[in-house]
Amino acid sequence: MIEETETIDEFLARHSADVAEALRNAAAAEILPRFRQLATHEVDQKSGPHDLVTDADRNAELFLTKALGALLPGSVVVGEEAVHADPATYEAIQGDAPVWIVDPVDGTRQFVHGDDGFCTLVALARRGVLLASWTYAPARDQMATAVRGGGAFLDGERLFAGPPEPGRDLTVATSHPDYTTDEQKRALLALWSDGVAPRACGSAGLEYLAIARGELDATAFSWEAAWDHAAGLLLVEEAGGTHLTLTGEPFRITGGNTLPFTAARDAATARRVAGLLAGGEPLGR
């Protein structure tokens, strides 16, 4: 655990591997035993049939809340399922204490359907600044990590997103239009244009990983729940990518963003996609 005189940077230098181990342990105890083994009573709906929660989500979040709090006393945890139960807990993201932002099963729909395209996401932030992130795909046994200023890695290998290949269509993973406002739907439909190849997004965390690996050019997302984006945004940044809202500013995990927003493998791609979403020319310079 953190010492009284230890800084967050020093904590991360000593304990980043311990955080990764906590994710692996949570998955081994609560997620993988239920993968392709879910009983009907272990799956519920939240806001609708597209918004599912399982016993794996709930139990893995409880596991991580205990483990992460023990690693960093004085920190708080903002988890998707805890916020669903008590929305006021989301406000901790804006506080002074270090905050763990947790999505226990990102891609619950895929998890429920037996698809291995799901992951567990954890980010550490303070005063709205992302400091470190962990993206673990347990069914694939892949662990991606990032520390601000320290680079992005997948299973120990450095990640570099790099620019898209010149002359080909941009591949962009997008929010499903059915789950957006009319204004957002119009913005997303602008991606169906020459030189862009949009497709429906899967697990947000794995889409961000695909950008960091240079396998996907950009995303276009219409919601701002921090647990879906925090880990991936830092991973993309540390791999050389960037993110923009429709105002031309970076996405803020504290909220108040103009949506949809994009994350992309380089600045030029981000400006191009954000410009299309805004209905005009590429944003910024």
Side-chain angles (χ1 to χ4, degrees), residues 208-267:
Y208 284 121
L209 176 56
I211 292 175
R213 299 179 75 179
E215 297 173 348
L216 176 68
D217 296 321
T219 59
F221 290 145
S222 59
W223 76 96
E224 58 179 356
W227 48 77
D228 285 318
H229 305 302
L233 288 173
L234 185 61
L235 191 70
V236 167
E237 284 185 55
E238 289 298 320
T242 191
H243 45 92
L244 289 176
T245 67
L246 298 193
T247 60
E249 300 172 325
F251 181 91
R252 298 183 300 272
I253 62 167
T254 50
N257 299 284
T258 304
L259 303 171
F261 77 98
T262 185
R265 55 193 289 183
D266 68 345

Side-chain angles (χ1 to χ4, degrees), residues 46 61 77-93 101-102 225 227:
K46 291 194 282 190
E61 183 169 306
V77 176
V78 172
E80 178 176 5
E81 307 315 326
V83 172
H84 179 70
D86 180 6
T89 61
Y90 197 77
E91 297 172 7
I93 291 177
I101 303 169
V102 175
W227 48 77

Side-chain angles (χ1 to χ4, degrees), residues 12-168:
L12 289 170
R14 293 178 60 219
H15 293 291
S16 181
D18 295 329
V19 178
E21 187 65 15
L23 270 72
R24 293 184 188 278
N25 290 341
E30 303 295 351
I31 299 173
L32 289 175
R34 294 179 170 91
F35 183 45
R36 298 174 179 161
Q37 303 292 328
L38 281 168
T40 301
H41 69 272
E42 294 180 299
V43 183
D44 295 310
Q45 294 183 13
K46 291 194 282 190
S47 63
H50 64 282
D51 188 10
L52 302 177
V53 62
T54 73
D55 284 1
D57 298 74
R58 297 187 183 102
N59 293 347
E61 183 169 306
L62 291 173
F63 187 108
L64 287 168
T65 297
K66 182 177 180 180
L68 298 173
L71 280 172
L72 185 54
S75 63
V76 295
V77 176
V78 172
E80 178 176 5
E81 307 315 326
V83 172
H84 179 70
D86 180 6
T89 61
Y90 197 77
E91 297 172 7
I93 291 177
Q94 303 185 46
D96 289 333
V99 57
W100 300 100
I101 303 169
V102 175
D103 190 340
V105 181
D106 179 64
T108 300
R109 181 168 51 85
Q110 286 83 358
F111 177 73
V112 169
H113 292 151
D115 187 320
D116 69 1
F118 63 91
C119 59
T120 299
L121 302 173
V122 170
L124 180 63
R126 192 171 194 180
R127 301 187 185 100
V129 178
L130 291 166
L131 304 173
S133 78
W134 297 260
T135 299
Y136 181 48
R140 302 174 181 179
D141 195 25
Q142 293 177 322
M143 177 72 73
T145 60
V147 174
R148 179 161 298 281
F153 298 84
L154 175 62
D155 298 328
E157 296 286 332
R158 186 75 181 259
L159 294 174
F160 296 100
E165 180 184 343
R168 66 164 177 76

